[in-house]
Amino acid sequence: MADIGHRPTGHAVVVGAGIGGLLAARVLGERFDRVTLIDRDALPDEGVPRRGVPQGHHAHGLLSRGREILEQLFPRLTADLVAAGAGTCDIQNDVRWYNDGRLLRPAPSRLRGLTVSRPRLEGYVRSRVAALPGVVVHERREVLGPIAGPGGAVTGVRVLRPGHRPEEAEEMAADLVVDATGRGNRGTEWLRGLGYEPAPEDRVDSRLVYVSREYRRRPGDADVAAMIVGHGTAVPRGGVALSAEGDRWLVTLFGMGDDVPPVDPEGYHAFAAGLPVPDLHHLLLRLEPLGAPRLMRIPVSIRRRYERLGRFPEGYLVFGDALCQFNPSYGQGMTVAACEAVALRECLADGLDGLARRFFGRAARIIDVPWDMSVGGDLRFPSVEGPRSPRVRLLNGYLTRLHAAAEADPVVGNAFLSVANLQAPPQRLLSPGIIARVLRPRSRRGAPALAEPEIRAQAPAGR
């Protein structure tokens, strides 16, 4: 736990008890002696999907950096979840990665992953947060908006209990209010109600559609913990098979535009047969389904640029998906929220005055890398609208060559996965050593004898 120099005091309210809100509440508990989490859903005790998180039915990725931070915030998290049926893996050696139809060469690495469903992870984190001293979780209550004092600072929220009318909403005082309401947030409306301009937005619509299905997992189904088939410009389809607790495979297929995975079982398998590589389809043919496919149309990716606002109320923050919602096919959202929690902890150490300005600046730097990666990836597809700068075109061309090199060279693959897992900055891919390997003639590539020690020397142990 961080040393913040004084005993916790005051009251913080977090609106939204998803992953982002829970992580915010965890670090706020170090600064405030009371933290209240409010969610309009009924929050299940067991790890099952809930109405307010419809994406919970689909396969989720927790990147290596995200797992490290969660383990720091919640010691024993990995061991506890493994005891409940989750799995751990070496993200390079135990996961079959296909990028542009090319298999990234497996090799031992320091990139550690956790294979677990989103509901199970969220339920576990919620139980740990709820057990913290001074934390109270209110379910089935709706926050109608923040309350501002005479000077414009936020001083609390209006809360509506089940079965009550809006005019019967109660006022809850707070020293800090955090909007962690996720993709369905009303931050724009709330800011306007307080007399502030909303944040400018960057938007990219990938027109992505998910369809997911669960299958029974038995020993010998596959020799990997997960299989990830990225969609490419030649075949704009992709899929993920993730081993999870409950002896299940969580399988998510995705397509873009009008190429939508069907929800009938036969059509679902036929769509999988059209993926860039056959491995995932062959896996499905061996598995026993546990339910019908479920469809989800992915909302537009939105980045709200709060760091660019000249005026913003004191006593108020925006966090997690309410700050930036990513294309989920890149698996970045939960890890970015974890990185924001670390940034929030560090910003709180300097007090509450000017907290929003400090935090939004730090959060913007955190978001820059995954946003550029996912948006750059989306802009490879002609159907996705957006400016394609020479830099974006150059980097996408370079990544095509990098994926080709990573088929034979595990050092190149490790560099890519380290950046994708937010363990290394993007500049790692443009270091002289990696560029030389990427541009090396294919005839000179091979299984390098020094692959494992070189990977271990290059791979960062964490930030």
Side-chain angles (χ1 to χ4, degrees):
M1 183 176 292
D3 181 6
I4 57 175
H6 52 77
R7 296 182 63 184
T9 183
H11 181 211
V13 170
V14 180
V15 187
I19 292 289
L22 292 166
L23 296 178
R26 165 63 182 84
V27 297
L28 289 171
E30 300 172 3
R31 171 59 177 79
F32 296 89
D33 58 4
R34 290 191 300 142
V35 178
T36 302
L37 267 161
I38 305 174
D39 200 284
R40 59 186 177 183
D41 262 7
L43 301 175
D45 292 331
E46 64 274 17
V48 297
R50 58 187 178 96
R51 185 172 63 89
V53 188
Q55 67 268 33
H57 292 281
H58 305 272
H60 273 65
L62 179 63
L63 304 182
S64 173
R65 179 60 178 155
R67 190 202 65 82
E68 285 184 357
I69 294 173
L70 290 182
E71 187 69 37
Q72 293 165 10
L73 295 175
F74 305 100
R76 308 183 315 279
L77 173 140
T78 300
D80 288 349
L81 287 172
V82 168
T88 59
C89 65
D90 178 328
I91 288 177
Q92 183 166 358
N93 207 42
D94 302 329
V95 178
R96 196 174 300 170
W97 294 86
Y98 289 97
N99 297 302
D100 292 339
R102 299 177 180 275
L103 175 62
L104 185 147
R105 190 177 183 89
S109 76
R110 292 179 177 174
L111 300 170
R112 310 307 302 174
L114 181 65
T115 57
V116 64
S117 70
R118 161 67 185 260
R120 176 64 68 189
L121 178 63
E122 182 178 307
Y124 174 86
V125 172
R126 185 169 59 247
S127 69
R128 293 286 298 267
V129 171
L132 294 172
V135 173
V136 176
V137 181
H138 291 309
E139 58 183 323
R140 299 181 63 239
R141 298 189 188 182
E142 184 173 3
V143 172
L144 301 183
I147 304 166
V154 168
T155 58
V157 291
R158 296 176 61 233
V159 182
L160 187 64
R161 291 176 178 267
H164 288 230
R165 298 186 299 273
E167 59 270 21
E168 299 174 316
E170 303 170 353
E171 293 189 358
M172 180 181 292
D175 301 287
L176 178 67
V177 173
V178 178
D179 173 8
T181 52
R183 292 177 175 267
N185 81 96
R186 291 182 290 165
T188 295
E189 173 188 334
W190 288 354
L191 277 179
R192 283 203 174 105
L194 295 173
Y196 292 86
E197 287 298 313
E201 296 179 347
D202 297 335
R203 289 174 170 255
V204 176
D205 187 358
S206 65
R207 300 180 64 203
L208 191 72
V209 178
Y210 268 14
V211 178
S212 296
R213 197 178 192 192
E214 295 185 6
Y215 295 81
R216 190 179 308 282
R217 179 165 55 91
R218 296 186 176 92
D221 284 342
D223 58 357
V224 291
M227 190 180 300
I228 300 172
V229 180
H231 55 317
T233 52
V235 182
R237 295 181 175 188
V240 175
L242 176 75
S243 58
E245 76 283 353
D247 294 324
R248 295 175 297 160
W249 286 101
L250 306 181
V251 178
T252 295
L253 304 180
F254 50 89
M256 300 178 69
D258 298 325
D259 188 24
V260 178
V263 294
D264 65 283
E266 290 186 5
Y268 189 73
H269 279 226
F271 186 93
L275 292 175
V277 295
D279 298 48
L280 200 155
H281 178 239
H282 290 166
L283 175 63
L284 296 188
L285 293 177
R286 300 194 296 271
L287 301 182
E288 175 191 349
L290 295 177
R294 294 174 176 269
L295 180 144
M296 179 177 179
R297 295 188 180 275
I298 304 303
V300 176
S301 299
I302 303 175
R303 181 177 184 181
R304 299 179 176 90
R305 309 300 300 249
Y306 286 95
E307 77 279 7
R308 296 180 178 175
L309 288 175
R311 293 178 64 247
F312 192 82
E314 290 289 332
Y316 187 51
L317 282 183
V318 184
F319 193 92
D321 279 359
L323 191 58
C324 182
Q325 54 195 56
F326 297 90
N327 178 337
S329 66
Y330 298 92
Q332 300 162 320
M334 294 191 296
T335 297
V336 169
C339 293
E340 289 176 11
V342 174
L344 177 57
R345 168 193 268 173
E346 294 169 352
C347 291
L348 284 167
D350 293 325
L352 297 183
D353 291 342
L355 175 63
R357 183 187 70 255
R358 296 194 304 276
F359 174 72
F360 290 145
R362 292 284 299 275
R365 292 190 290 275
I366 291 168
I367 292 168
D368 279 342
V369 171
W371 178 260
D372 287 348
M373 290 172 59
S374 61
V375 168
D378 288 343
L379 291 176
R380 293 179 301 158
F381 300 92
S383 62
V384 177
E385 296 182 3
R388 291 165 173 81
S389 66
R391 176 177 175 270
V392 168
R393 295 179 186 273
L394 179 65
L395 288 177
N396 281 337
Y398 177 71
L399 283 175
T400 298
R401 297 195 63 167
L402 184 146
H403 293 321
E407 280 189 299
D409 191 338
V411 174
V412 174
N414 181 262
F416 170 76
L417 291 177
S418 296
V419 173
N421 279 268
L422 305 187
Q423 292 281 25
Q427 291 80 3
R428 168 109 183 261
L429 299 180
L430 299 174
S431 65
I434 297 300
I435 290 177
R437 288 175 175 272
V438 170
L439 301 182
R440 180 183 300 167
R442 189 173 182 85
S443 61
R444 294 177 55 195
R445 297 180 193 144
L450 298 178
E452 180 176 342
E454 190 165 357
I455 285 174
R456 293 190 180 278
Q458 289 196 27
R463 293 177 184 172

